[in-house]
Amino acid sequence: MAVLLIAEVVNGELSVDATAKALTAATQMGDVTVLCAGSGCSGAAAEAAKLAGVSKVLCASDDAYGHDLAEPMADLILSLAGDYSHICAPSTAASKNILPRVAASLDVMIVSEVIEVVDADSFVRPIYAGNALQTVKSADATKVMTIRTATFDAAEMGGSASVEEIAAVANPGLSEWVEDKVATSDRPELTSAGIVVSGGRGVGSEEDFKLIEGLADKLGAAVGASRAAVDSGYAPNDWQVGQTGKVVAPDLYVAIGISGAIQHLAGMKDSKVIVAINKDEEAPIFQVADFGLVADLFDAVPELVEKLG
């Protein structure tokens, strides 16, 4: 079996965490070739070649691939697809846009959010907001899938794969990049952070959400939010954790003022240790928490920050 893994390349740099975790899944399906595509991505390709388990790296350095546009990226992948039995990528905003187009063009199904590889044809994925797991067996000649990286350990460095420059394919010109509006932060990236502190509707306001941010900064953590908090305007959309937000699996997840709706649990229930602070002792979040504190967050959080020094 030959596997083509689409690396996550952002601004010409390899997203090592996402790519290395997807690689762990990919190596269970066969011999892995990594595709790095983007403007000036030779550095990303060299970094990908150092990942253990990579047989070869393909580098397509072209401005057309620099902004994750589905149309040119899909055409590039399709030009290579005939050599591979599996095409996969870490489950990110980019891959969720690109790979369905690839699958449709190949007239195969896409298997999304794979959390376990049973064998080369069978995969496990969550359904019903993570309340059930579905085992999918594909008879398609080419399997196209996205990998939920939160459930896989990152592949180690130490590889020495060869890097091959490949030519770009003709740009179909169906879409064009206009501009990126990207929020910058000194905090860790939410999906790869070791500690995440999240706030919910119980925080009460955007101003009071600074309590959550203050605790996160003390812990060196990323900041998350429930959909209720985001919909209420307390936190930006890119902080949302849950079924319709980001899926995280940090070593420590602190849920503050979050009741624990199933849609939120779907995005964080795989965290190693879950700590919940909520004044409602009947809140569903306590059913999944390893440690729970029934208290008013406006008393508990400032005290916790103070004790952390």
Side-chain angles (χ1 to χ4, degrees), residues 9 56 59 68 77 98 101 105 113 119 134 159 165 180 191 198-199 204 208 219 221 226 229 244 269 281 284 289 302:
V9 178
K56 182 170 68 173
C59 178
D68 295 323
I77 295 167
I98 296 165
R101 186 178 184 88
S105 298
E113 303 289 331
D119 56 41
Q134 178 186 55
E165 297 282 343
D180 288 332
T191 55
S198 283
D208 287 332
L219 295 171
S226 67
T244 53
K269 63 183 179 61
E281 63 182 24

Side-chain angles (χ1 to χ4, degrees), residues 16-214:
V16 177
D17 185 75
T19 305
K21 289 179 177 178
L23 175 60
T24 299
T27 53
Q28 298 175 41
M29 295 179 277
D31 191 53
V32 180
T33 296
V34 174
L35 171 64
C36 290
S39 179
C41 66
S42 57
E47 191 75 7
K50 298 176 184 177
L51 290 170
V54 176
S55 297
K56 182 170 68 173
V57 177
L58 303 178
C59 178
S61 187
D62 192 278
D63 290 345
Y65 309 129
H67 300 285
D68 295 323
L69 297 178
E71 292 82 1
M73 274 298 297
D75 280 6
L76 173 65
I77 295 167
L78 289 168
S79 72
L80 303 168
D83 296 329
Y84 300 96
S85 58
H86 297 71
I87 298 171
C88 61
S91 184
T92 64
S95 68
K96 290 175 185 178
N97 187 26
I98 296 165
L99 288 192
R101 186 178 184 88
V102 171
S105 298
L106 293 172
D107 195 23
V108 301
M109 71 175 183
I110 183 165
V111 184
S112 61
E113 303 289 331
V114 170
I115 63 170
E116 181 186 343
V117 178
V118 179
D119 56 41
D121 299 321
S122 304
F123 317 97
V124 179
R125 60 184 297 274
I127 57 174
Y128 301 131
N131 284 301
L133 298 179
Q134 178 186 55
T135 300
V136 178
K137 184 166 185 175
S138 172
D140 290 329
T142 305
K143 281 75 173 175
V144 180
M145 67 196 72
T146 60
I147 308 296
R148 180 175 286 191
T149 55
T151 58
F152 293 95
D153 294 328
E156 297 181 355
M157 305 300 284
S160 56
S162 61
V163 178
E164 178 185 337
E165 297 282 343
I166 62 172
V169 297
N171 189 339
L174 297 174
S175 62
E176 64 178 14
W177 172 79
V178 177
E179 66 173 328
D180 288 332
K181 294 184 178 179
V182 181
T184 58
S185 174
D186 292 332
R187 300 188 181 104
E189 204 281 320
L190 183 56
T191 55
S192 60
I195 304 174
V196 174
V197 179
S198 283
R201 195 201 307 272
V203 177
S205 69
E206 182 179 6
E207 182 178 347
D208 287 332
F209 214 85
K210 296 189 184 302
L211 283 172
I212 307 301
E213 297 179 57

Side-chain angles (χ1 to χ4, degrees), residues 182-268:
V182 181
T184 58
S185 174
D186 292 332
R187 300 188 181 104
E189 204 281 320
L190 183 56
T191 55
S192 60
I195 304 174
V196 174
V197 179
S198 283
R201 195 201 307 272
V203 177
S205 69
E206 182 179 6
E207 182 178 347
D208 287 332
F209 214 85
K210 296 189 184 302
L211 283 172
I212 307 301
E213 297 179 57
L215 177 57
D217 290 340
K218 281 288 185 183
L219 295 171
V223 179
S226 67
R227 177 170 180 171
V230 171
D231 287 349
S232 299
Y234 305 164
N237 288 335
D238 58 341
W239 288 3
Q240 184 177 325
V241 173
Q243 183 182 13
T244 53
K246 295 179 178 177
V247 177
V248 300
D251 296 325
L252 173 63
Y253 187 87
V254 184
I256 301 172
I258 294 175
S259 63
I262 59 171
Q263 291 85 353
H264 184 76
L265 299 183
M268 46 66 72

Side-chain angles (χ1 to χ4, degrees), residues 240-306:
Q240 184 177 325
V241 173
Q243 183 182 13
T244 53
K246 295 179 178 177
V247 177
V248 300
D251 296 325
L252 173 63
Y253 187 87
V254 184
I256 301 172
I258 294 175
S259 63
I262 59 171
Q263 291 85 353
H264 184 76
L265 299 183
M268 46 66 72
K269 63 183 179 61
D270 291 325
S271 304
K272 306 299 185 295
V273 177
I274 299 172
V275 175
I277 301 175
N278 199 300
K279 65 181 180 181
D280 178 10
E281 63 182 24
E282 301 297 327
I285 191 70
F286 288 124
Q287 296 177 18
V288 298
D290 298 286
F291 300 94
L293 175 62
V294 178
D296 189 319
L297 69 89
F298 295 104
D299 296 327
V301 175
E303 184 177 352
L304 181 56
V305 170
E306 182 181 351

